[in-house]
Amino acid sequence: MPNGASFFQDVLLSLEKANVHLKLPPAIYERLRTPRRSLTVSVPIQMDDGSVRFFTGYRVQYDFARGPAKGGVRYHPAVSLDEITALAALMTWKCAVVDIPFGGAKGGVACDPTRMSRSEKQRLTRRYTYEIGVIIGPESDIPAPDVYTDEQTMAWMMDTYSMMKGYSVPSIVTGKPVCIGGSLGRTRATSEGLVITTLEALKHLGLKLPDLRVTVLGFGKVGYHAAKILYDMGAKIIGLGDSRGAIYDARGLNVDAATDHKKKSGELKGFKNAESMTIDELLTIESDVLVPAALEGQINRNNVNGIKTKIIAEGANNPVTNEADEVLKDKGIFMLPGVLANAGGVVVSYFEWVQDLQRYFWNETEINDRLRTIMSRSFKEVLAIASEKKIDMRTAAMVLGVKRVSEAVMVRGLYP
Ligand code: GLU
């Protein structure tokens, strides 16, 4: 997080804002401020040069009052217990906002996957899975992809867990390849969900899709597919950014050509049909929809003042700090918070888990229809709370999610 703030403290601040409206009993509120279970593991692996390196991994199960804990695994140098705890808390609220029967979890390993070979990443994944194997399981905690992890990572996790058990356990992870029990539509699901909620927001604000000016920051799976889907629908993608820089064209970028350029050169910058600039410069460009889809804290007190857009759709988890959020609210920007806007990924993960348990698979139309139903219903539920309580969409989403979790905690009561 920029400005040295703790990510988890920032997430707790959002919980505090929701509790102003929920007024939970103190013991329940305290329970929701505290992660249920946190595991830190040492992950030793042999590197390709023969040396042995030790990485630190985490798995935090924030809450499972509503069902098994659920959440991704990320590989990134900035991974820490604070970050993973914050993301596990967000997964808890997110699953509750879209009303799927999961609690929240998150995992990660502090490493730089961009500097590791495929076989090093495979050994890292297998040893990490073994180490967290004591707490994960299809009934207790189901990992999935997140930043710098993908279908292949999930295949290795599924294989390692299955080897430990002695039989195949497809339902141990979601986001795996279709040939081993993955779900159709999972790869694009987060972006599909983001587009569904963005279209709902456009309708609500009386805006139209053609000629809509869209800027997308982050060109990983979520950012790329969001840009591509909106581009194919006729929106004008005027700006794109990745970790190395940004490109801009007021007339609209050709997303396919920009993707080819990135595949060849490793970055968006230098794309010949556009102006290259820094991410902070791109943030000051006027747009209708801004999609931050990289890491948390991307929009913060240092750059928030320059933002000129109508809607922010959070593709990443908490890319906007609470401090920046207050400024955006004053500017009248309509916020689609990550716990709603990027929930499509975990919704289709839920479908994948259900299909694995039933050993019966649905076609892509069924998946996309069910995803649309859940995302549109959730948008409307959050909007209704925002209108009724005259609060912003982020606080409204938190009110909805936290209320559902707190109800489950209260009705289950305290053990023993
Ligand atoms: N990593 C994704 C998220 O942050 C998906 C998690 C999942 O599917 O379990 O929502």
Side-chain angles (χ1 to χ4, degrees), residues 70-72 91 94 106 142 144-146 174 186 317 342 345-346 349:
K70 185 83 189 80
M91 286 308 302
K94 190 190 301 188
K106 202 82 176 194
I142 305 117
D146 198 75
T174 58
R186 176 62 185 86
N317 292 310
N342 72 38
V346 75
S349 275

Side-chain angles (χ1 to χ4, degrees), residues 99-156:
D99 208 8
I100 54 175
F102 283 138
K106 202 82 176 194
V109 179
C111 64
D112 185 353
T114 63
R115 288 165 181 271
M116 294 170 76
S117 70
R118 180 185 157 90
S119 51
E120 286 168 345
K121 279 188 279 191
Q122 176 168 182
R123 288 193 290 276
L124 182 85
T125 302
R126 289 187 181 280
R127 183 62 188 250
Y128 169 68
T129 307
Y130 174 80
E131 295 298 338
I132 65 164
V134 287
I135 60 166
I136 61 168
E139 301 293 338
S140 57
D141 179 2
I142 305 117
D146 198 75
V147 174
Y148 284 124
T149 57
D150 55 16
E151 287 193 352
Q152 180 61 73
T153 322
M154 293 307 112
W156 290 328

Side-chain angles (χ1 to χ4, degrees), residues 354-371:
V354 168
Q355 292 172 87
D356 288 337
L357 293 176
Q358 295 178 338
R359 287 165 168 74
Y360 182 78
F361 291 84
W362 315 340
N363 65 40
E364 198 154 359
T365 312
E366 277 172 286
I367 286 157
N368 288 334
D369 287 350
R370 288 178 209 240
L371 174 64

Side-chain angles (χ1 to χ4, degrees), residues 8 24 50 52-53 82 99 112 136 243 281 294 304 323 335 338 342 373 395 401 413:
F8 185 46
L24 295 171
V52 174
R53 277 186 64 188
D82 180 82
D99 208 8
D112 185 353
I136 61 168
S243 57
E281 280 166 342
V304 67
E323 208 180 353
M335 174 63 71
N342 72 38
T373 303
T395 310

Side-chain angles (χ1 to χ4, degrees), residues 335-352:
M335 174 63 71
L336 281 168
V339 288
L340 169 67
N342 72 38
V346 75
V347 168
V348 177
S349 275
Y350 166 54
F351 298 162
E352 181 172 333

